[in-house]
Amino acid sequence: MTLRPILIHPDPRLKTLAEPVPAITDEIRRLADDMLETMYDAPGIGLAAPQIGKLSRLLVMDATKEDEGAARPMVLINPKVTWESEARSVYEEGCLSIPEQFADVERPAEVEVEWLGLDGKTHSERFDGLWATCVQHEIDHLDGRLFIDYLKPMKRQMITRKMVKLKRERARG
Ligand code: K1U
Ligand code: ZN
């Protein structure tokens, strides 16, 4: 397994619609393994393939809380939201591609998602709480959308400027 570098906003690959995964291959299995390792190492609760520069509709997540016990690493290929609740919830979101910036985002409180698993089977599950927030945030990445796209333009611009500065500083070393 290999840790992959995570792209930082702004980057055109984070604004691009990702392509469906046509088949489960060894390359896809390796990509999923690397993404889980990269997510746990960050640390994060989710990671979408475009965040490591792969424009494929694949995401990983594990929103298990520390006091909940066993980890639940999940790999979702070609995920689709098939149902969303009318009830909304607000969560202060972060993003590994927008380090150290957080903002409240309102989303459906519950969603049902269908996806292809690494076992080649179709899965469907209803998510709530942090899992629901996380899976929607990750599917947004597959559609080239970031959590800052839900914010007012002024706040979004302020965060983007901070990220441009951060990238410049990191490039200087
Ligand atoms: O997609 C990403 O950039 C990962 C992101 C997912 C996410 C966080 C919060 C709300 C919705 C989606 C992160 O994992 S940011 C890091 C984070 O939230 C976290 C890290 C360690 C422990 C607990 C949370
Ligand atoms: Zn993110």
Side-chain angles (χ1 to χ4, degrees), residues 57-78:
R57 298 190 75 79
L58 190 158
L59 67 87
V60 298
M61 63 175 181
D62 183 353
T64 315
K65 298 205 174 96
E66 267 174 35
D67 57 0
E68 276 175 354
R72 190 186 177 207
M74 297 191 75
V75 178
L76 280 66
I77 296 164
N78 301 334

mmCIF file of all heavy atoms in Angstrom, residues 57-78:
data_model
loop_
_atom_site.group_PDB
_atom_site.id
_atom_site.type_symbol
_atom_site.label_atom_id
_atom_site.label_comp_id
_atom_site.label_asym_id
_atom_site.label_seq_id
_atom_site.Cartn_x
_atom_site.Cartn_y
_atom_site.Cartn_z
ATOM 1 N N ARG A 57 -14.971 7.566 -10.353
ATOM 2 C CA ARG A 57 -16.039 7.687 -9.353
ATOM 3 C C ARG A 57 -15.859 6.600 -8.281
ATOM 4 O O ARG A 57 -16.540 5.591 -8.241
ATOM 5 C CB ARG A 57 -17.420 7.612 -10.025
ATOM 6 C CG ARG A 57 -17.614 8.763 -11.023
ATOM 7 C CD ARG A 57 -19.024 8.864 -11.528
ATOM 8 N NE ARG A 57 -19.937 9.438 -10.548
ATOM 9 C CZ ARG A 57 -20.062 10.723 -10.260
ATOM 10 N NH1 ARG A 57 -19.294 11.621 -10.879
ATOM 11 N NH2 ARG A 57 -20.937 11.125 -9.363
ATOM 12 N N LEU A 58 -14.928 6.844 -7.401
ATOM 13 C CA LEU A 58 -14.595 5.927 -6.318
ATOM 14 C C LEU A 58 -14.321 6.747 -5.065
ATOM 15 O O LEU A 58 -13.615 7.758 -5.125
ATOM 16 C CB LEU A 58 -13.355 5.129 -6.724
ATOM 17 C CG LEU A 58 -12.927 3.931 -5.869
ATOM 18 C CD1 LEU A 58 -12.073 2.980 -6.693
ATOM 19 C CD2 LEU A 58 -12.157 4.346 -4.639
ATOM 20 N N LEU A 59 -14.894 6.315 -3.944
ATOM 21 C CA LEU A 59 -14.627 7.003 -2.683
ATOM 22 C C LEU A 59 -14.440 5.976 -1.583
ATOM 23 O O LEU A 59 -14.926 4.844 -1.674
ATOM 24 C CB LEU A 59 -15.744 8.004 -2.338
ATOM 25 C CG LEU A 59 -17.134 7.463 -1.998
ATOM 26 C CD1 LEU A 59 -17.280 7.123 -0.515
ATOM 27 C CD2 LEU A 59 -18.196 8.485 -2.389
ATOM 28 N N VAL A 60 -13.712 6.391 -0.551
ATOM 29 C CA VAL A 60 -13.583 5.561 0.649
ATOM 30 C C VAL A 60 -14.038 6.395 1.838
ATOM 31 O O VAL A 60 -13.974 7.630 1.804
ATOM 32 C CB VAL A 60 -12.133 5.070 0.866
ATOM 33 C CG1 VAL A 60 -11.678 4.197 -0.289
ATOM 34 C CG2 VAL A 60 -11.159 6.229 1.066
ATOM 35 N N MET A 61 -14.523 5.722 2.873
ATOM 36 C CA MET A 61 -14.897 6.461 4.086
ATOM 37 C C MET A 61 -14.941 5.520 5.286
ATOM 38 O O MET A 61 -15.109 4.302 5.140
ATOM 39 C CB MET A 61 -16.230 7.195 3.924
ATOM 40 C CG MET A 61 -17.415 6.320 3.683
ATOM 41 S SD MET A 61 -18.912 7.347 3.654
ATOM 42 C CE MET A 61 -20.140 6.084 3.388
ATOM 43 N N ASP A 62 -14.771 6.125 6.455
ATOM 44 C CA ASP A 62 -14.961 5.427 7.728
ATOM 45 C C ASP A 62 -15.254 6.501 8.763
ATOM 46 O O ASP A 62 -14.348 7.124 9.299
ATOM 47 C CB ASP A 62 -13.709 4.632 8.121
ATOM 48 C CG ASP A 62 -13.940 3.840 9.406
ATOM 49 O OD1 ASP A 62 -15.008 4.017 10.037
ATOM 50 O OD2 ASP A 62 -13.062 3.055 9.783
ATOM 51 N N ALA A 63 -16.545 6.721 9.013
ATOM 52 C CA ALA A 63 -16.953 7.781 9.947
ATOM 53 C C ALA A 63 -17.269 7.199 11.329
ATOM 54 O O ALA A 63 -18.005 7.797 12.103
ATOM 55 C CB ALA A 63 -18.144 8.549 9.380
ATOM 56 N N THR A 64 -16.679 6.031 11.640
ATOM 57 C CA THR A 64 -16.855 5.435 12.967
ATOM 58 C C THR A 64 -16.293 6.382 14.021
ATOM 59 O O THR A 64 -15.171 6.888 13.859
ATOM 60 C CB THR A 64 -16.082 4.095 13.069
ATOM 61 O OG1 THR A 64 -16.324 3.343 11.902
ATOM 62 C CG2 THR A 64 -16.509 3.307 14.277
ATOM 63 N N LYS A 65 -17.063 6.593 15.096
ATOM 64 C CA LYS A 65 -16.547 7.467 16.160
ATOM 65 C C LYS A 65 -15.607 6.660 17.054
ATOM 66 O O LYS A 65 -15.731 5.431 17.144
ATOM 67 C CB LYS A 65 -17.712 8.035 16.973
ATOM 68 C CG LYS A 65 -18.627 8.889 16.107
ATOM 69 C CD LYS A 65 -19.397 9.917 16.921
ATOM 70 C CE LYS A 65 -20.179 10.828 16.010
ATOM 71 N NZ LYS A 65 -21.586 10.412 15.839
ATOM 72 N N GLU A 66 -14.642 7.384 17.688
ATOM 73 C CA GLU A 66 -13.616 6.696 18.490
ATOM 74 C C GLU A 66 -14.218 5.763 19.526
ATOM 75 O O GLU A 66 -13.718 4.668 19.760
ATOM 76 C CB GLU A 66 -12.727 7.728 19.185
ATOM 77 C CG GLU A 66 -11.490 8.063 18.362
ATOM 78 C CD GLU A 66 -10.686 9.173 18.974
ATOM 79 O OE1 GLU A 66 -10.620 9.253 20.215
ATOM 80 O OE2 GLU A 66 -10.135 9.975 18.191
ATOM 81 N N ASP A 67 -15.349 6.208 20.159
ATOM 82 C CA ASP A 67 -15.948 5.400 21.239
ATOM 83 C C ASP A 67 -16.881 4.302 20.696
ATOM 84 O O ASP A 67 -17.501 3.580 21.471
ATOM 85 C CB ASP A 67 -16.695 6.317 22.220
ATOM 86 C CG ASP A 67 -17.773 7.140 21.524
ATOM 87 O OD1 ASP A 67 -17.925 6.999 20.293
ATOM 88 O OD2 ASP A 67 -18.454 7.923 22.211
ATOM 89 N N GLU A 68 -16.962 4.177 19.362
ATOM 90 C CA GLU A 68 -17.881 3.190 18.786
ATOM 91 C C GLU A 68 -17.232 1.832 18.543
ATOM 92 O O GLU A 68 -17.887 0.893 18.105
ATOM 93 C CB GLU A 68 -18.440 3.707 17.441
ATOM 94 C CG GLU A 68 -19.631 4.615 17.622
ATOM 95 C CD GLU A 68 -20.119 5.215 16.308
ATOM 96 O OE1 GLU A 68 -19.461 5.011 15.262
ATOM 97 O OE2 GLU A 68 -21.144 5.905 16.353
ATOM 98 N N GLY A 69 -15.936 1.765 18.786
ATOM 99 C CA GLY A 69 -15.252 0.472 18.635
ATOM 100 C C GLY A 69 -14.724 0.240 17.252
ATOM 101 O O GLY A 69 -14.047 1.111 16.698
ATOM 102 N N ALA A 70 -15.043 -0.934 16.663
ATOM 103 C CA ALA A 70 -14.404 -1.406 15.434
ATOM 104 C C ALA A 70 -14.514 -0.421 14.275
ATOM 105 O O ALA A 70 -15.565 0.192 14.070
ATOM 106 C CB ALA A 70 -15.018 -2.732 15.035
ATOM 107 N N ALA A 71 -13.413 -0.313 13.543
ATOM 108 C CA ALA A 71 -13.393 0.520 12.335
ATOM 109 C C ALA A 71 -14.301 -0.109 11.281
ATOM 110 O O ALA A 71 -14.563 -1.314 11.302
ATOM 111 C CB ALA A 71 -11.966 0.601 11.802
ATOM 112 N N ARG A 72 -14.833 0.741 10.355
ATOM 113 C CA ARG A 72 -15.638 0.208 9.256
ATOM 114 C C ARG A 72 -15.192 0.865 7.941
ATOM 115 O O ARG A 72 -15.845 1.788 7.434
ATOM 116 C CB ARG A 72 -17.128 0.479 9.513
ATOM 117 C CG ARG A 72 -17.981 -0.283 8.515
ATOM 118 C CD ARG A 72 -19.448 0.047 8.613
ATOM 119 N NE ARG A 72 -20.164 -0.681 7.569
ATOM 120 C CZ ARG A 72 -21.302 -0.297 7.031
ATOM 121 N NH1 ARG A 72 -21.912 0.799 7.445
ATOM 122 N NH2 ARG A 72 -21.864 -1.006 6.084
ATOM 123 N N PRO A 73 -14.032 0.397 7.417
ATOM 124 C CA PRO A 73 -13.568 0.973 6.143
ATOM 125 C C PRO A 73 -14.514 0.599 5.018
ATOM 126 O O PRO A 73 -14.829 -0.577 4.844
ATOM 127 C CB PRO A 73 -12.187 0.327 5.930
ATOM 128 C CG PRO A 73 -12.150 -0.864 6.829
ATOM 129 C CD PRO A 73 -13.157 -0.689 7.903
ATOM 130 N N MET A 74 -15.002 1.608 4.282
ATOM 131 C CA MET A 74 -15.947 1.341 3.192
ATOM 132 C C MET A 74 -15.370 1.840 1.871
ATOM 133 O O MET A 74 -14.740 2.907 1.822
ATOM 134 C CB MET A 74 -17.282 2.059 3.446
ATOM 135 C CG MET A 74 -17.996 1.577 4.703
ATOM 136 S SD MET A 74 -19.672 2.209 4.788
ATOM 137 C CE MET A 74 -20.503 1.202 3.563
ATOM 138 N N VAL A 75 -15.606 1.090 0.798
ATOM 139 C CA VAL A 75 -15.192 1.477 -0.562
ATOM 140 C C VAL A 75 -16.458 1.534 -1.404
ATOM 141 O O VAL A 75 -17.165 0.534 -1.534
ATOM 142 C CB VAL A 75 -14.201 0.456 -1.157
ATOM 143 C CG1 VAL A 75 -13.835 0.848 -2.588
ATOM 144 C CG2 VAL A 75 -12.952 0.329 -0.287
ATOM 145 N N LEU A 76 -16.769 2.701 -1.954
ATOM 146 C CA LEU A 76 -17.980 2.884 -2.752
ATOM 147 C C LEU A 76 -17.575 3.245 -4.184
ATOM 148 O O LEU A 76 -16.889 4.252 -4.412
ATOM 149 C CB LEU A 76 -18.868 3.998 -2.178
ATOM 150 C CG LEU A 76 -19.766 3.652 -0.971
ATOM 151 C CD1 LEU A 76 -18.948 3.337 0.268
ATOM 152 C CD2 LEU A 76 -20.723 4.791 -0.674
ATOM 153 N N ILE A 77 -17.992 2.404 -5.134
ATOM 154 C CA ILE A 77 -17.677 2.629 -6.545
ATOM 155 C C ILE A 77 -18.963 3.044 -7.260
ATOM 156 O O ILE A 77 -20.027 2.441 -7.027
ATOM 157 C CB ILE A 77 -17.078 1.335 -7.142
ATOM 158 C CG1 ILE A 77 -15.749 1.018 -6.434
ATOM 159 C CG2 ILE A 77 -16.866 1.462 -8.648
ATOM 160 C CD1 ILE A 77 -15.257 -0.390 -6.636
ATOM 161 N N ASN A 78 -18.875 4.051 -8.086
ATOM 162 C CA ASN A 78 -20.022 4.593 -8.833
ATOM 163 C C ASN A 78 -21.239 4.834 -7.917
ATOM 164 O O ASN A 78 -22.359 4.400 -8.226
ATOM 165 C CB ASN A 78 -20.416 3.650 -9.981
ATOM 166 C CG ASN A 78 -19.279 3.428 -10.959
ATOM 167 O OD1 ASN A 78 -18.390 4.272 -11.089
ATOM 168 N ND2 ASN A 78 -19.282 2.297 -11.653
#
